[in-house]
Amino acid sequence: MESTWLIQILTFLLLTVNLNFINALPEILRIGGLFEVGDDPMEMAFKSAVDRINSDGKLIPRSRLLAQVEKVEKSDSFSASKKACGLFEQGIAAIFGPQSVETSTHIQSTCDQLHIPHMETRLDFRSVAANHSINLHPHPKVFGEAIRDLIRMKNWKNFAILYQENEALVRLEEILKDEVLREKKMVVRQFETDEYRTIFKEVNKLNIKNLIVDVPRENIHEVLRHAQQVDMLSEYHDYIFTSLDLQTVDLEDFQYAGTNISSFCLIDRSSTDFKEIIREWQSSVPVTRTNWLEEDPFISRASLLQNFTTEVALMYDSVKLLAKALHDLDRSKTINMNALSCENEEPWQYGITLTNYMRMITVRGLTGDIKFDRNGLRTDVRLKLIELTNEGLKEVGEWTSEKRVQFIGNYSKTMEEILKATLKNKTLVVTTFPGRPYTMFVEDYEKKGLTGNDRFEGYCIDLMNEIAKRLQFKYVIRLVEDRAYGRRNEKGEWNGMIRELIDGKADIAVADLTITYERESAVDFTMPFMNLGIGILFRKPKKEPPRLFSFMSPLAIEVWIYLLTAFLGVTLFLFVIARFSPYEWINPHPCIKTPEDLENNFTMKNTLWFTIGCLMQQGCDVMPRALSTRVLAASWWFFILILVSSYTANLAAFLTVERMVNPIESVEDLAKQTKIHYGCLMSGSTQAFFKNSNFSTYARMWSFMESTRPSVFVESNDKGVERVKKGDYAYLMESTSIEYIVERECDLYQVGGLLDSKGYGIATPPDSPYRGIISDTILALQEKGILQAIKEKWWSQKKCGPKDGTQKAAGAASELGLANVGGVFVVLAIGSVCAVIICIFEFIWKMKQIPRGERDHIFVELMRELKHVICCYGSTRPVRRTGMDDMGSQIIMQTPGNGIPGMPIPGYGFPHPIHAHGDFIPAFGMGKEDYS
Ligand code: ASP
């Protein structure tokens, strides 16, 4: 193969270099044509092509082509090769035809022996062309790829391949082996007889509406007729014909059904050659009006279009290619048309050059650019995508191996207009599910005499009216028969509205139908018209009976405990500090200038009375005098001030709020318990959500719901709401419906947030042509605020006032914890520490005023005092007198120790005399010397 390719390149270079030197082509160039009996269009095309080349005069100016035609019997290879030999003996440059596989192969081998180019226009499955074959028909793989790309682009959910001839499977190999398409539901059936209805009925039962049909072009009309008879030709059906000659079939009977019928076409109808040829043909056939060739409305469709097949166009192109090659050779080589004999098998010496040259050049023909690859197969093929519309077949796009399927600029606009036109004046069957406030019966509609669509009202009815008004179609509402939204069972069968759409019983489903991935695989959804999520509908909790000790509620229990501890602590502290502080020891009889005893007011009883009096905000007649005790008292007052104010404020909140017993506050709470049952709508997306969830909480909830008896699933939202109202049942419902219900049922409310987020959409049968335009309309309604207005209309009745008010208030009046009031405890603690420090300073200060000789070391005095306090030696003590002060008066000191005259000092057994002259009296029964 590589060497052939090299020879071709060398030939091309040689010829290009020698251009314009030699003009040696004979005046008459014979070319042979072998046509089967009955293949008149091919023969006509051949002759007409030769005439065109000769009359044009530009392609081969100095020579004329002479068509030598022979008729052969189909499949009679022997007579065909005899006739071919006869042509070879006349000296021909190439041979065209025949079309049938058997005879053509036979002729091919003779051509290969004699090196005569064999010009072919038939579909050939070989992946490498024979040596002297120039086949202009693209390889079947090319068409397979084009159809595969088109199906991929259409994104069909399922499809059937219906074929008649066995070779069709080779043609469709690219589709059958494509990985993406194999994942779709694909059904392959063969039409074994001309009774196509049987297969169509079978496909209809399988609910498949997308079909690839591979039948000879002569049978296309009959196939479509049979499809129409068994209801397989509606606007929901989509047909792709593999034949390249769909344009030659009269499709007028089917063009108003709205069925999408398309195919690829190789002929470039926009080329001038094509238009001219059609005009030439026009003069030789009876004239009637056509709707496809807009350029010339007076061309006979019956005779012309039915015969102007791809093979005919290829015949034109092959003659043109040969002529161009001969002309180029004419400028570079001497070519003689030798008479050749099939017997002595001596080849034509220019054959190889001519064949190779034809494979090297590019010629623009009726079927686009004619180019060959290194295997001798047609390359860079451009296929036109044609589609049947109300106005007949229209070119809507193009396929090339690089760019795949590309629609022409205004395709979608045109299609949209065509669809809108089809939809106008149509009556669509709308399936819906009755439920508040989407679709409801008008109150007393029977009494009011309402019938048909007028019986219904609600959000979905208004939405439908808006869409129908914009798209100008009529509709009839039907309630879904099995009263289900749509759920797939284990066998993969759907119920509810989804089933009705698949079965073709309804054209659209307009309800609170949730868009889910599973449903999307069976039907099509428009843009969502409402967004929502799953929520929990529950009955408001009962009021809690007032508790006996509810006055304790404003503070948390630990705060009460801390408060008690603080109270006792402060009391003790104050008592101790007051003992220590010399300024708290006072003269009990102010009239007596030199008292014998000093008294401390902060006895244990008094101190307790003081702290409790302050705590109750009643005050007390015992007041601190020393700085230390005052600091402590001030801290205590501050503590009480804050705590009591906080308590009072919170108590007020508690008294105004109704406390609720709220057992469920989130979905987790619901999942954790089994006392309160919970469930959802049967055969709906909510049920499917729990069933398919991998999230542990929801999976647990699903197994609970599934196993609970009696069943927790309900047939409609209304029944679910009734059950919630009875109590001990939570209903998992979609948030928009909850919103509607809680506005009207004041004892119900939504617990927690949403479990997911999704939307409602209008569903159409799979691959419905109307989905796009309905989606656009929904978008327009959304942008104009009409959807919002409709929602307001049906939801707005705000009977129950603000939601969750009680819940929030109850939450706001929560008890105060340590975190809330901890600060005041800290302040109190700081105050106490300051009091201790000040008290020590006071003690030291007073001690310092006693001459060193009359007292012990301060630390010893301190310890003695501590002991005195700990042992609770009473609140009166003798005055301790020291030397005279500057003013000549005696300094009266408190004496450490008990000091009650006549009373034995605990632990020591004898009283201490008090010396007014200021002698140091060892208070604890020890001699002075013991301290020095
Ligand atoms: N709107 C839901 C559906 O489409 C109903 C539900 O399951 O709550 O299935």
Side-chain angles (χ1 to χ4, degrees):
M1 188 42 66
E2 285 303 314
S3 61
T4 329
W5 190 243
L6 211 66
I7 293 168
Q8 284 180 5
I9 294 170
L10 288 174
T11 317
F12 185 76
L13 289 174
L14 201 74
L15 291 173
T16 329
V17 169
N18 287 328
L19 283 179
N20 299 320
F21 289 104
I22 307 156
N23 299 306
L25 207 60
E27 201 179 317
I28 298 292
L29 286 168
R30 286 195 171 80
I31 51 172
L34 287 175
F35 299 103
E36 274 132 8
V37 178
D39 204 357
D40 298 339
M42 290 300 277
E43 188 185 333
M44 186 180 161
F46 177 61
K47 285 180 180 164
S48 146
V50 168
D51 287 350
R52 271 178 63 79
I53 304 284
N54 288 337
S55 57
D56 181 40
K58 275 188 227 142
L59 268 174
I60 8 178
R62 278 176 294 276
S63 307
R64 280 179 58 77
L65 294 177
L66 184 64
Q68 300 284 92
V69 175
E70 290 288 351
K71 286 275 187 193
V72 294
E73 288 296 327
K74 224 178 190 163
S75 321
D76 187 355
S77 314
F78 179 70
S79 84
S81 60
K82 257 182 84 178
K83 289 200 172 156
C85 289
L87 289 171
F88 295 145
E89 276 163 21
Q90 291 178 36
I92 54 168
I95 194 156
F96 293 75
Q99 291 301 96
S100 70
V101 188
E102 307 83 19
T103 39
S104 177
T105 324
H106 216 88
I107 301 298
Q108 182 61 57
S109 60
T110 321
C111 285
D112 282 348
Q113 273 171 14
L114 298 177
H115 293 188
I116 298 287
H118 182 205
M119 309 300 288
E120 292 184 283
T121 57
R122 65 185 181 88
L123 197 66
D124 192 352
F125 293 102
R126 283 176 298 185
S127 51
V128 180
N131 281 351
H132 287 274
S133 162
I134 299 288
N135 191 349
L136 271 73
H137 202 299
H139 194 269
K141 193 171 177 234
V142 173
F143 304 114
E145 281 176 8
I147 294 170
R148 178 202 63 197
D149 293 342
L150 183 61
I151 303 172
R152 274 197 192 180
M153 207 205 61
K154 283 181 179 250
N155 199 14
W156 280 347
K157 294 190 165 77
N158 54 32
F159 61 94
I161 297 178
L162 311 181
Y163 67 97
Q164 194 156 24
E165 299 158 334
N166 292 337
E167 311 92 80
L169 289 181
V170 189
R171 261 197 297 270
L172 299 168
E173 197 187 332
E174 294 303 313
I175 300 164
L176 296 168
K177 69 179 190 199
D178 187 75
E179 304 247 308
V180 180
L181 300 183
R182 279 162 74 122
E183 279 171 19
K184 316 259 170 181
K185 183 177 169 191
M186 188 197 298
V187 170
V188 184
R189 294 283 182 278
Q190 185 172 20
F191 295 120
E192 268 149 20
T193 60
D194 286 350
E195 172 50 57
Y196 305 112
R197 280 170 286 234
T198 328
I199 299 285
F200 276 126
K201 275 189 209 155
E202 193 188 325
V203 174
N204 202 3
K205 266 193 202 139
L206 295 170
N207 268 316
I208 295 177
K209 298 205 162 47
N210 305 311
L211 301 106
I212 300 162
V213 184
D214 188 299
V215 291
R217 71 163 185 124
E218 304 77 47
N219 300 348
I220 291 178
H221 191 274
E222 190 66 356
V223 165
L224 286 173
R225 209 169 59 79
H226 282 199
Q228 199 170 37
Q229 286 166 357
V230 294
D231 215 10
M232 281 288 283
L233 216 61
S234 70
E235 62 265 50
Y236 298 117
H237 289 92
D238 199 346
Y239 285 76
I240 298 177
F241 281 92
T242 57
S243 167
L244 287 175
D245 293 319
L246 188 70
Q247 78 279 5
T248 65
V249 182
D250 184 2
L251 298 172
E252 199 170 352
D253 296 344
F254 316 109
Q255 71 191 31
Y256 303 104
T259 315
N260 193 333
I261 298 175
S262 52
S263 85
F264 284 104
C265 170
L266 189 60
I267 302 170
D268 181 6
R269 289 178 298 154
S270 58
S271 68
T272 33
D273 271 3
F274 177 78
K275 287 172 192 166
E276 276 172 23
I277 291 164
I278 293 297
R279 230 164 260 132
E280 278 167 27
W281 279 48
Q282 179 195 8
S283 56
S284 62
V285 288
V287 173
T288 54
R289 185 173 280 274
T290 178
N291 65 357
W292 182 51
L293 291 162
E294 283 145 14
E295 300 86 11
D296 190 342
F298 297 103
I299 297 167
S300 159
R301 189 167 69 190
S303 307
L304 174 62
L305 287 182
Q306 282 181 13
N307 292 318
F308 204 90
T309 59
T310 306
E311 286 182 346
V312 167
L314 289 171
M315 179 57 82
Y316 268 96
D317 286 350
S318 56
V319 175
K320 191 174 179 182
L321 175 69
L322 178 73
K324 166 100 170 96
L326 285 171
H327 174 62
D328 288 354
L329 283 173
D330 176 33
R331 293 189 291 176
S332 60
K333 248 183 167 353
T334 311
I335 295 178
N336 292 322
M337 299 291 153
N338 307 352
L340 302 174
S341 155
C342 293
E343 269 84 52
N344 62 21
E345 293 187 4
E346 194 179 317
W348 184 38
Q349 63 183 67
Y350 306 104
I352 294 178
T353 315
L354 186 58
T355 309
N356 288 344
Y357 189 67
M358 280 195 280
R359 285 181 180 174
M360 297 297 295
I361 56 173
T362 303
V363 174
R364 179 133 190 94
L366 296 176
T367 56
D369 284 344
I370 301 153
K371 255 170 123 179
F372 294 90
D373 64 9
R374 53 174 64 194
N375 292 327
L377 303 177
R378 189 103 182 244
T379 183
D380 291 353
V381 180
R382 221 168 250 277
L383 296 173
K384 309 286 172 193
L385 176 63
I386 52 172
E387 222 168 85
L388 186 65
T389 67
N390 281 355
E391 295 148 23
L393 280 169
K394 279 231 153 70
E395 186 181 320
V396 294
E398 193 179 67
W399 177 91
T400 56
S401 57
E402 298 90 49
K403 295 190 178 153
R404 307 288 160 189
V405 181
Q406 279 195 317
F407 285 101
I408 50 177
N410 59 352
Y411 169 73
S412 45
K413 202 104 219 92
T414 323
M415 276 312 172
E416 199 181 299
E417 272 154 27
I418 293 169
L419 274 172
K420 279 185 181 165
T422 328
L423 200 57
K424 247 181 220 171
N425 308 323
K426 253 187 145 296
T427 305
L428 298 185
V429 179
V430 179
T431 179
T432 188
F433 188 95
R436 287 190 290 165
Y438 304 97
T439 307
M440 303 174 286
F441 280 103
V442 175
E443 221 177 304
D444 298 332
Y445 71 90
E446 276 159 339
K447 277 190 209 151
K448 288 178 189 160
L450 299 177
T451 53
N453 292 356
D454 297 341
R455 289 172 300 155
F456 302 102
E457 63 173 6
Y459 179 92
C460 288
I461 309 299
D462 285 0
L463 174 67
M464 205 53 226
N465 283 338
E466 284 294 335
I467 297 173
K469 200 168 77 191
R470 273 151 200 271
L471 296 177
Q472 296 174 24
F473 64 83
K474 297 189 197 71
Y475 66 91
V476 279
I477 298 172
R478 271 190 30 185
L479 295 181
V480 59
E481 267 167 30
D482 58 0
R483 304 210 26 117
Y485 283 86
R487 194 185 153 204
R488 189 159 57 177
N489 65 15
E490 286 68 36
K491 286 188 223 152
E493 291 160 352
W494 285 93
N495 69 354
M497 288 183 274
I498 304 291
R499 165 101 254 151
E500 293 197 348
L501 290 176
I502 297 172
D503 286 353
K505 287 185 184 163
D507 296 300
I508 43 174
V510 186
D512 48 334
L513 186 66
T514 313
I515 304 171
T516 66
Y517 176 74
E518 203 180 20
R519 286 174 179 170
E520 184 77 56
S521 67
V523 294
D524 282 344
F525 278 99
T526 60
M527 290 268 309
F529 57 82
M530 204 181 267
N531 295 314
L532 57 128
I534 298 174
I536 304 166
L537 183 74
F538 199 49
R539 202 171 76 172
K540 275 184 191 161
K542 284 195 216 99
K543 277 182 201 166
E544 192 183 1
R547 281 185 294 131
L548 192 59
F549 294 101
S550 57
F551 68 87
M552 290 188 70
S553 309
L555 298 183
I557 193 72
E558 73 264 22
V559 176
W560 284 114
I561 293 168
Y562 282 118
L563 176 63
L564 191 70
T565 319
F567 164 68
L568 295 174
V570 168
T571 309
L572 201 70
F573 230 63
L574 191 62
F575 173 74
V576 172
I577 286 174
R579 302 270 128 174
F580 260 98
S581 176
Y583 299 103
E584 284 297 343
W585 293 97
I586 49 160
N587 180 358
H589 309 289
C591 316
I592 304 167
K593 283 274 185 254
T594 53
E596 290 299 305
D597 295 325
L598 294 177
E599 198 181 55
N600 195 322
N601 272 342
F602 283 96
T603 60
M604 189 45 100
K605 251 165 47 189
N606 282 355
T607 317
L608 260 173
W609 186 237
F610 172 78
T611 44
I612 207 153
C614 297
L615 186 63
M616 297 300 156
Q617 296 193 303
Q618 298 307 315
C620 175
D621 47 357
V622 186
M623 280 296 158
R625 289 154 192 272
L627 183 63
S628 53
T629 44
R630 281 180 178 176
V631 166
L632 184 59
S635 312
W636 179 234
W637 289 338
F638 174 76
F639 171 84
I640 289 162
L641 175 75
I642 301 298
L643 206 76
V644 170
S645 334
S646 309
Y647 173 85
T648 316
N650 212 25
L651 182 68
F654 265 80
L655 293 179
T656 46
V657 162
E658 291 176 292
R659 294 292 289 171
M660 302 282 190
V661 186
N662 200 355
I664 306 292
E665 273 169 1
S666 65
V667 68
E668 278 77 23
D669 289 349
L670 202 59
K672 261 187 250 156
Q673 54 80 54
T674 50
K675 189 175 159 271
I676 295 165
H677 287 187
Y678 47 89
C680 61
L681 195 85
M682 212 183 275
S683 294
S685 61
T686 310
Q687 196 183 40
F689 169 82
F690 285 99
K691 189 178 176 199
N692 304 332
S693 180
N694 293 328
F695 186 57
S696 65
T697 310
Y698 303 150
R700 202 166 62 234
M701 286 173 80
W702 171 246
S703 49
F704 174 78
M705 286 194 258
E706 217 185 7
S707 57
T708 309
R709 292 290 171 273
S711 172
V712 289
F713 300 115
V714 292
E715 281 160 31
S716 67
N717 280 342
D718 283 347
K719 291 202 172 147
V721 171
E722 282 313 310
R723 224 164 139 173
V724 175
K725 278 159 88 180
K726 281 184 196 147
D728 278 346
Y729 180 79
Y731 185 51
L732 295 151
M733 192 188 199
E734 283 165 334
S735 57
T736 39
S737 303
I738 294 185
E739 209 181 302
Y740 177 84
I741 294 294
V742 297
E743 296 291 3
R744 285 148 185 87
E745 310 281 355
C746 302
D747 54 339
L748 304 186
Y749 78 109
Q750 182 183 331
V751 176
L754 300 184
L755 275 56
D756 65 348
S757 143
K758 48 203 179 184
Y760 291 146
I762 293 179
T764 60
D767 306 313
S768 163
Y770 305 130
R771 188 249 298 250
I773 47 173
I774 297 177
S775 263
D776 292 350
T777 315
I778 289 178
L779 208 61
L781 292 175
Q782 202 165 39
E783 275 171 19
K784 294 212 164 80
I786 296 173
L787 290 187
Q788 190 53 34
I790 304 178
K791 187 163 180 226
E792 281 286 307
K793 177 181 163 189
W794 291 104
W795 263 258
S796 64
Q797 190 194 343
K798 307 235 183 287
K799 193 175 130 197
C800 300
K803 292 295 126 219
D804 282 350
T806 47
Q807 307 307 307
K808 281 195 189 118
S814 56
E815 58 199 10
L816 297 173
L818 197 63
N820 307 93
V821 290
V824 284
F825 285 91
V826 175
V827 172
L828 183 63
I830 294 170
S832 308
V833 172
C834 291
V836 171
I837 296 165
I838 295 168
C839 176
I840 292 168
F841 275 117
E842 282 172 348
F843 186 84
I844 295 168
W845 175 254
K846 273 289 173 196
M847 276 299 149
K848 286 274 181 201
Q849 287 175 357
I850 301 171
R852 183 66 183 89
E854 292 174 21
R855 63 169 170 89
D856 287 321
H857 187 269
I858 288 176
F859 182 71
V860 177
E861 293 282 352
L862 202 67
M863 282 300 141
R864 188 180 298 131
E865 192 63 34
L866 192 62
K867 190 173 176 188
H868 180 80
V869 172
I870 291 168
C871 298
C872 299
Y873 285 160
S875 301
T876 317
R877 59 170 54 160
V879 174
R880 180 169 171 170
R881 295 182 198 282
T882 64
M884 304 299 280
D885 65 7
D886 299 344
M887 308 294 289
S889 54
Q890 271 185 318
I891 297 168
I892 300 169
M893 292 290 295
Q894 94 174 50
T895 313
N898 188 332
I900 298 169
M903 287 289 285
I905 298 170
Y908 297 92
F910 61 94
H912 289 276
I914 298 166
H915 298 269
H917 49 80
D919 285 351
F920 176 77
I921 301 158
F924 297 102
M926 282 178 251
K928 185 183 165 189
E929 53 284 0
D930 291 342
Y931 293 96
S932 51

